[in-house]
Structure formats: structure tokens, C-alpha cells
Amino acid sequence: MNPPPQTTSITTRSGVRKLSDNLASSSKIPFRPRKIRKVTSNATSEDAIKIKSPQPPLTVSPQIPKSLSEKPEIDLALNHLRHIDPLLATLISAHPPPKLSPCNSPFLSLSKSILYQQLATKAANSIYTRFISLCGNESDVVPSTILSLTPQKLREIGVSARKASYLHDLSDKFSTGVLSDASILTMDDETLFQMLTAVKGIGPWSVHMFMIFSLHRPDVLPVGDLGVRKGVQLLYGLKELPKPAQMEQICEKWKPYRSVGSWYMWRLLESKTKGNGKAQSVEAEQIGGF
């Protein structure tokens, strides 16, 4: 039999109150002793309390996407395509490698692509020559110059009112900083596509041509280009012209050098057909490319 709990008497002004030892012990809440950091008398304030000074933010230079402007990159592309696609390997052996033309400036190339839209090569060349004369020379084709040209002034050299509005919209986006030559050179392909198709008059085909022939981006597949689609049809012996979704599937193996594969589709079409095939290739080359 357990002994009864002992009691403790606490005398207060109001009398004597008895508390159970067990109850008193159960009400105790343990506390961790606080640690007191000792600071020596000869320590300086900097030694006792170390305050980290804010570090300046790291500046990371934008990574420039790969370009076919360098011969080693073209060699890598050709070796990859030969290895991955025997049919394309035969075509590569039958034609010289792509030759790159320098891009003066992205803004100039985009302006030129707008002027050449839906025009025969001879007519487009004539309008472009007059356009350059109106601006002064190619180095004077800058946003401020184009914004100073009224639609009527552009109409006098053969530029339609619609294309004049396209040129002004492009120039406005450059002058306000939405786009710039520097930012275009560093944008990844997906971002660049979204930014450029937001410009009036610049659609997916124009962006793809600009990316291949002006920026020399290595992995662009212009699924809407008739010449490339016909080339794929010829290369693989397809009964029908492949649709854009089929182009993506068929040319998947060309990654990351679909631009070079597309270039050889134009060459294949040139060798197999006359007239339309050559005209399609020349139209693409007017963007300032291979």
C-alpha cells in the first residue's frame, strides 16, 4: 500500500494553505538555461558582433545563342546530319557547304524583309534601292529615320500604305526599347519568335527566314516554307506535301541543326525543279543569308 502524499504548508496573510507535493511537482515546467555569450573586455565591437556588409549583385553577361557564323559550328552540323540521316548525307555530299553572308544589323534586315514581302525579286530590288536612297544609305536605315518618313513619302517610292505602317510599327518598337539590335542577338529562339511576331506585318515565315539567314541560328525549322516542305517530300519520297506537324516529326532527328537541314532542302529542290524552286530559294536569300 502506497503511503499518502506528503503535504507542504505555505503560510500567507490569509492563513495556511496545504498543497500536494505531487501536484506541485507536476506543475513545474522545465526551461532551458539561456546561453550567455561572453565578450572579452579587450574585444572590439567588430569582433563581438560581426555584421556582414551587403555584397554587390553579380552581373551575368547574357549568353549569346549559338551561331552558324563560325565554320567549326557548320562542320559540327554537317557531321551530325551525315551521321543521323543517310538520305541527307547523300545530299550533303552532292552540294558544297553553306556560305554565310554577314548581317549588317537586325533592324536593317527586318526592314528589308518587310519591303520584300509578296513581291517578285526584280520589283522588290527596285523598291529597296529607292528606299535606301531615300534614307541616305544602308547605315542610315535606323528607327528615327523611318519614323520621319510619312506614309505618303514611302508611297512615292512604291511602298504600300500597309507596309509603311509595318515599318513604322517596327521602328516604334525599336525607338521605345521594346526591341533592339543588342537584345535580338542575345534572345533565345522562342523568346525572339514571340517578340518579333508581335510586330505588325512580321509573321512566322519572316521570323524563321530572319533567324536562319540574318542571325544564322542553327536549329530553325521553317515548317511553313513551301520550298523546305517540297524538299522533304522529295527526300523521303512522300506521296503528299507534308503538313507543318508532320514536318516537326520527320525533321526531329535533325536537331540541333535543322537550319542546315532546311538549307539543303532548298538545294534539293533547285536540283530537281526549275522556275518555282529557284524562285523560292532566291526569295529566301533576299533576307541576307547563305
Side-chain angles (χ1 to χ4, degrees), residues 204-274:
W205 183 86
S206 296
V207 176
H208 286 154
M209 296 300 104
F210 171 71
M211 292 171 70
I212 294 174
F213 293 107
S214 295
L215 301 184
H216 308 149
R217 296 288 175 92
D219 194 34
V220 180
L221 180 65
V223 294
D225 184 85
L226 184 59
V228 176
R229 293 170 64 195
K230 285 184 176 180
V232 169
Q233 182 184 18
L234 287 170
L235 183 67
Y236 297 108
L238 304 178
K239 293 182 180 180
E240 297 180 356
L241 195 67
K243 297 179 179 179
Q246 292 174 297
M247 291 284 291
E248 292 281 358
Q249 294 176 353
I250 294 171
C251 303
E252 174 76 16
K253 57 180 171 292
W254 294 354
K255 286 184 176 181
Y257 295 109
R258 291 180 296 176
S259 298
V260 179
S262 299
W263 186 83
Y264 278 101
M265 294 304 95
W266 283 308
R267 304 290 81 77
L268 174 61
L269 193 60
E270 285 179 12
S271 63
K272 296 292 184 180
T273 62
K274 294 181 179 180

Side-chain angles (χ1 to χ4, degrees), residues 128-185:
Y128 182 71
T129 300
R130 293 195 294 268
F131 173 75
I132 296 301
S133 297
L134 184 62
C135 293
N137 52 57
E138 284 194 331
S139 63
D140 294 321
V141 180
V142 294
S144 59
T145 300
I146 293 181
L147 288 174
S148 69
L149 301 175
T150 63
Q152 178 59 33
K153 197 70 176 177
L154 291 168
R155 187 75 183 93
E156 291 174 1
I157 62 170
V159 180
S160 66
R162 180 174 294 181
K163 285 188 178 181
S165 70
Y166 295 164
L167 289 171
H168 283 164
D169 186 60
L170 174 67
S171 301
D172 182 67
K173 284 181 169 57
F174 268 77
S175 64
T176 57
V178 175
L179 291 170
S180 68
D181 281 357
S183 66
I184 284 175
L185 293 175

